[in-house]
Structures are given as C-alpha cells and as structure tokens.
Amino acid sequence: VQLQAFGGGLVQAGGSLRLSCAASRMIFSTFSSSSVAWYRQAPGNQRELVAALRSGGSTEYAESMKGRFTISRDNGKRRVYLQMNSLKPEDTALYYCNIAQPYYGIDYWGKGTQVTVSS
C-alpha cells in the first residue's frame, strides 16, 4: 500500500487549497473500514492532528481548523480530501495523510505535501 498526497502549494492568506491523498493497492473493504486523517508538521513543531474521519462518518477537527477545513473521503476511489479555506500563515506546514485501523495493525502514512501560506 502506498499513499500519495498532493495538492499543496503556495497560497496567499485567506486563500484556499484542496489536498488529496490517493491510496494505491488497497482493497475497497480495507479502505472503507479504516479511519482516515490529515496531520501536519511545521518546522520545529511536533506532528499534529488536523482532521480525522472515521469509517462510520464521525469527524474530529483540531480547534484552530474548525469551520475552515473539511475532511472527506471517496471510498470507491480510495481517496481522502482536505478542503482548506481561509488559510492563515500559521497553517504553513507539511501535510500528511494517514489511513489506520489500529485493531488490525493498519497504519499507513503518505510522504506529505507542502502547504505554504504567505501573509
């Protein structure tokens, strides 16, 4: 299984980006029953959760992202998305996607896509 995140880039403050993460060689049943999430890590900081979406549909967002970011998934395409609006310079980071089912030892990470927000 490989996760490829893309869609990052340079954007001005207040702008929007949509990140995508494609899971290759993952069967439908495994993907659809897994939780998916986006994390980010800025230089000098620890990796932090941005948003998570459980297989049952419940979501979790970091407080500073609520109302600005939206996580979604397309099980048929094995894809995870992160719509980011009203971006701020402090959102600048390397964004990683994660697919996990801890009970079965499933924990896959993508290599990350860089998001840079200029003021």
Side-chain angles (χ1 to χ4, degrees):
V1 174
Q2 287 186 328
L3 302 187
Q4 178 66 49
F6 50 95
L10 174 63
V11 64
Q12 288 188 332
S16 298
L17 282 175
R18 188 191 193 210
L19 305 184
S20 299
C21 177
S24 61
R25 296 191 292 274
M26 179 177 275
I27 63 175
F28 175 84
S29 60
T30 299
F31 184 90
S32 61
S33 60
S34 297
S35 294
V36 297
W38 288 93
Y39 289 76
R40 71 184 187 185
Q41 187 169 17
N45 292 352
Q46 290 187 334
R47 188 174 296 186
E48 63 175 346
L49 175 69
V50 174
L53 174 58
R54 317 296 188 224
S55 59
S58 62
T59 56
E60 177 184 356
Y61 292 92
E63 193 64 34
S64 62
M65 287 72 156
K66 288 180 180 178
R68 299 190 299 125
F69 292 8
T70 303
I71 187 172
S72 61
R73 65 194 296 168
D74 185 330
N75 291 336
K77 294 182 178 180
R78 314 320 187 252
R79 292 216 172 179
V80 187
Y81 304 101
L82 184 68
Q83 178 66 43
M84 305 186 294
N85 299 326
S86 302
L87 283 162
K88 305 174 182 180
E90 51 264 41
D91 294 319
T92 295
L94 192 60
Y95 283 71
Y96 299 89
C97 60
N98 172 257
I99 296 176
Q101 280 194 62
Y103 184 82
Y104 294 105
I106 294 173
D107 189 19
Y108 299 118
W109 290 87
K111 288 187 177 181
T113 183
Q114 178 67 39
V115 172
T116 303
V117 184
S118 63
S119 57

PDB file of all heavy atoms in Angstrom, residues 98-113:
ATOM      1  N   ASN A  98      -3.088   9.895   6.538  1.00  0.00           N
ATOM      2  CA  ASN A  98      -2.941   8.675   7.316  1.00  0.00           C
ATOM      3  C   ASN A  98      -4.189   7.829   7.167  1.00  0.00           C
ATOM      4  O   ASN A  98      -5.302   8.345   7.172  1.00  0.00           O
ATOM      5  CB  ASN A  98      -2.710   9.021   8.793  1.00  0.00           C
ATOM      6  CG  ASN A  98      -2.747   7.818   9.698  1.00  0.00           C
ATOM      7  OD1 ASN A  98      -3.732   7.573  10.389  1.00  0.00           O
ATOM      8  ND2 ASN A  98      -1.674   7.063   9.718  1.00  0.00           N
ATOM      9  N   ILE A  99      -3.991   6.542   7.010  1.00  0.00           N
ATOM     10  CA  ILE A  99      -5.092   5.580   6.977  1.00  0.00           C
ATOM     11  C   ILE A  99      -4.789   4.536   8.033  1.00  0.00           C
ATOM     12  O   ILE A  99      -3.697   3.959   8.036  1.00  0.00           O
ATOM     13  CB  ILE A  99      -5.223   4.938   5.591  1.00  0.00           C
ATOM     14  CG1 ILE A  99      -5.584   6.007   4.559  1.00  0.00           C
ATOM     15  CG2 ILE A  99      -6.269   3.831   5.607  1.00  0.00           C
ATOM     16  CD1 ILE A  99      -5.637   5.502   3.144  1.00  0.00           C
ATOM     17  N   ALA A 100      -5.725   4.288   8.921  1.00  0.00           N
ATOM     18  CA  ALA A 100      -5.428   3.433  10.059  1.00  0.00           C
ATOM     19  C   ALA A 100      -6.604   2.583  10.504  1.00  0.00           C
ATOM     20  O   ALA A 100      -7.768   2.995  10.414  1.00  0.00           O
ATOM     21  CB  ALA A 100      -4.955   4.299  11.240  1.00  0.00           C
ATOM     22  N   GLN A 101      -6.275   1.406  10.978  1.00  0.00           N
ATOM     23  CA  GLN A 101      -7.191   0.525  11.723  1.00  0.00           C
ATOM     24  C   GLN A 101      -6.324  -0.102  12.810  1.00  0.00           C
ATOM     25  O   GLN A 101      -5.756  -1.165  12.603  1.00  0.00           O
ATOM     26  CB  GLN A 101      -7.763  -0.580  10.843  1.00  0.00           C
ATOM     27  CG  GLN A 101      -8.913  -0.178   9.961  1.00  0.00           C
ATOM     28  CD  GLN A 101      -9.619  -1.393   9.393  1.00  0.00           C
ATOM     29  OE1 GLN A 101     -10.174  -2.214  10.123  1.00  0.00           O
ATOM     30  NE2 GLN A 101      -9.594  -1.504   8.072  1.00  0.00           N
ATOM     31  N   PRO A 102      -6.178   0.573  13.942  1.00  0.00           N
ATOM     32  CA  PRO A 102      -5.268   0.081  14.991  1.00  0.00           C
ATOM     33  C   PRO A 102      -5.513  -1.360  15.417  1.00  0.00           C
ATOM     34  O   PRO A 102      -4.568  -2.092  15.701  1.00  0.00           O
ATOM     35  CB  PRO A 102      -5.523   1.060  16.143  1.00  0.00           C
ATOM     36  CG  PRO A 102      -5.987   2.307  15.476  1.00  0.00           C
ATOM     37  CD  PRO A 102      -6.795   1.842  14.293  1.00  0.00           C
ATOM     38  N   TYR A 103      -6.777  -1.778  15.423  1.00  0.00           N
ATOM     39  CA  TYR A 103      -7.094  -3.137  15.865  1.00  0.00           C
ATOM     40  C   TYR A 103      -6.400  -4.177  14.992  1.00  0.00           C
ATOM     41  O   TYR A 103      -5.999  -5.240  15.469  1.00  0.00           O
ATOM     42  CB  TYR A 103      -8.609  -3.349  15.831  1.00  0.00           C
ATOM     43  CG  TYR A 103      -9.044  -4.700  16.361  1.00  0.00           C
ATOM     44  CD1 TYR A 103      -9.179  -4.906  17.742  1.00  0.00           C
ATOM     45  CD2 TYR A 103      -9.318  -5.759  15.506  1.00  0.00           C
ATOM     46  CE1 TYR A 103      -9.576  -6.142  18.227  1.00  0.00           C
ATOM     47  CE2 TYR A 103      -9.716  -6.995  15.989  1.00  0.00           C
ATOM     48  CZ  TYR A 103      -9.845  -7.179  17.360  1.00  0.00           C
ATOM     49  OH  TYR A 103     -10.231  -8.400  17.838  1.00  0.00           O
ATOM     50  N   TYR A 104      -6.267  -3.873  13.704  1.00  0.00           N
ATOM     51  CA  TYR A 104      -5.634  -4.809  12.777  1.00  0.00           C
ATOM     52  C   TYR A 104      -4.194  -4.422  12.465  1.00  0.00           C
ATOM     53  O   TYR A 104      -3.585  -4.988  11.566  1.00  0.00           O
ATOM     54  CB  TYR A 104      -6.441  -4.888  11.475  1.00  0.00           C
ATOM     55  CG  TYR A 104      -7.808  -5.494  11.658  1.00  0.00           C
ATOM     56  CD1 TYR A 104      -8.953  -4.701  11.644  1.00  0.00           C
ATOM     57  CD2 TYR A 104      -7.960  -6.858  11.873  1.00  0.00           C
ATOM     58  CE1 TYR A 104     -10.210  -5.257  11.824  1.00  0.00           C
ATOM     59  CE2 TYR A 104      -9.208  -7.424  12.048  1.00  0.00           C
ATOM     60  CZ  TYR A 104     -10.328  -6.609  12.027  1.00  0.00           C
ATOM     61  OH  TYR A 104     -11.566  -7.168  12.205  1.00  0.00           O
ATOM     62  N   GLY A 105      -3.662  -3.454  13.161  1.00  0.00           N
ATOM     63  CA  GLY A 105      -2.274  -3.069  12.922  1.00  0.00           C
ATOM     64  C   GLY A 105      -2.059  -2.318  11.630  1.00  0.00           C
ATOM     65  O   GLY A 105      -0.948  -2.276  11.102  1.00  0.00           O
ATOM     66  N   ILE A 106      -3.114  -1.717  11.105  1.00  0.00           N
ATOM     67  CA  ILE A 106      -3.004  -0.955   9.866  1.00  0.00           C
ATOM     68  C   ILE A 106      -2.705   0.501  10.207  1.00  0.00           C
ATOM     69  O   ILE A 106      -3.427   1.126  10.974  1.00  0.00           O
ATOM     70  CB  ILE A 106      -4.308  -1.050   9.051  1.00  0.00           C
ATOM     71  CG1 ILE A 106      -4.511  -2.487   8.570  1.00  0.00           C
ATOM     72  CG2 ILE A 106      -4.278  -0.077   7.876  1.00  0.00           C
ATOM     73  CD1 ILE A 106      -5.855  -2.722   7.899  1.00  0.00           C
ATOM     74  N   ASP A 107      -1.620   1.022   9.655  1.00  0.00           N
ATOM     75  CA  ASP A 107      -1.212   2.400   9.934  1.00  0.00           C
ATOM     76  C   ASP A 107      -0.314   2.853   8.800  1.00  0.00           C
ATOM     77  O   ASP A 107       0.897   2.649   8.837  1.00  0.00           O
ATOM     78  CB  ASP A 107      -0.488   2.495  11.276  1.00  0.00           C
ATOM     79  CG  ASP A 107      -0.241   3.938  11.699  1.00  0.00           C
ATOM     80  OD1 ASP A 107      -0.916   4.842  11.168  1.00  0.00           O
ATOM     81  OD2 ASP A 107       0.625   4.169  12.569  1.00  0.00           O
ATOM     82  N   TYR A 108      -0.913   3.445   7.777  1.00  0.00           N
ATOM     83  CA  TYR A 108      -0.168   3.876   6.605  1.00  0.00           C
ATOM     84  C   TYR A 108      -0.056   5.394   6.571  1.00  0.00           C
ATOM     85  O   TYR A 108      -1.014   6.102   6.905  1.00  0.00           O
ATOM     86  CB  TYR A 108      -0.853   3.394   5.329  1.00  0.00           C
ATOM     87  CG  TYR A 108      -0.956   1.901   5.209  1.00  0.00           C
ATOM     88  CD1 TYR A 108      -2.192   1.274   5.151  1.00  0.00           C
ATOM     89  CD2 TYR A 108       0.185   1.110   5.129  1.00  0.00           C
ATOM     90  CE1 TYR A 108      -2.296  -0.103   5.024  1.00  0.00           C
ATOM     91  CE2 TYR A 108       0.088  -0.270   5.013  1.00  0.00           C
ATOM     92  CZ  TYR A 108      -1.152  -0.864   4.961  1.00  0.00           C
ATOM     93  OH  TYR A 108      -1.239  -2.224   4.841  1.00  0.00           O
ATOM     94  N   TRP A 109       1.111   5.862   6.118  1.00  0.00           N
ATOM     95  CA  TRP A 109       1.376   7.298   6.022  1.00  0.00           C
ATOM     96  C   TRP A 109       1.859   7.661   4.630  1.00  0.00           C
ATOM     97  O   TRP A 109       2.633   6.914   4.026  1.00  0.00           O
ATOM     98  CB  TRP A 109       2.453   7.710   7.030  1.00  0.00           C
ATOM     99  CG  TRP A 109       2.006   7.648   8.446  1.00  0.00           C
ATOM    100  CD1 TRP A 109       2.044   6.559   9.276  1.00  0.00           C
ATOM    101  CD2 TRP A 109       1.445   8.715   9.217  1.00  0.00           C
ATOM    102  NE1 TRP A 109       1.544   6.897  10.509  1.00  0.00           N
ATOM    103  CE2 TRP A 109       1.162   8.211  10.506  1.00  0.00           C
ATOM    104  CE3 TRP A 109       1.136  10.047   8.945  1.00  0.00           C
ATOM    105  CZ2 TRP A 109       0.593   8.993  11.513  1.00  0.00           C
ATOM    106  CZ3 TRP A 109       0.577  10.816   9.948  1.00  0.00           C
ATOM    107  CH2 TRP A 109       0.313  10.289  11.207  1.00  0.00           C
ATOM    108  N   GLY A 110       1.405   8.799   4.153  1.00  0.00           N
ATOM    109  CA  GLY A 110       1.925   9.346   2.919  1.00  0.00           C
ATOM    110  C   GLY A 110       3.179  10.165   3.213  1.00  0.00           C
ATOM    111  O   GLY A 110       3.514  10.422   4.376  1.00  0.00           O
ATOM    112  N   LYS A 111       3.861  10.598   2.165  1.00  0.00           N
ATOM    113  CA  LYS A 111       5.112  11.345   2.341  1.00  0.00           C
ATOM    114  C   LYS A 111       4.895  12.814   2.637  1.00  0.00           C
ATOM    115  O   LYS A 111       5.831  13.498   3.037  1.00  0.00           O
ATOM    116  CB  LYS A 111       5.989  11.195   1.093  1.00  0.00           C
ATOM    117  CG  LYS A 111       6.590   9.803   0.953  1.00  0.00           C
ATOM    118  CD  LYS A 111       7.580   9.747  -0.188  1.00  0.00           C
ATOM    119  CE  LYS A 111       8.228   8.367  -0.258  1.00  0.00           C
ATOM    120  NZ  LYS A 111       9.220   8.292  -1.362  1.00  0.00           N
ATOM    121  N   GLY A 112       3.698  13.304   2.444  1.00  0.00           N
ATOM    122  CA  GLY A 112       3.449  14.691   2.768  1.00  0.00           C
ATOM    123  C   GLY A 112       3.460  15.607   1.575  1.00  0.00           C
ATOM    124  O   GLY A 112       4.150  15.369   0.586  1.00  0.00           O
ATOM    125  N   THR A 113       2.684  16.662   1.685  1.00  0.00           N
ATOM    126  CA  THR A 113       2.646  17.694   0.662  1.00  0.00           C
ATOM    127  C   THR A 113       2.756  19.043   1.376  1.00  0.00           C
ATOM    128  O   THR A 113       2.115  19.269   2.406  1.00  0.00           O
ATOM    129  CB  THR A 113       1.365  17.590  -0.186  1.00  0.00           C
ATOM    130  OG1 THR A 113       1.395  18.569  -1.227  1.00  0.00           O
ATOM    131  CG2 THR A 113       0.107  17.792   0.639  1.00  0.00           C
TER     132      THR A 113
END
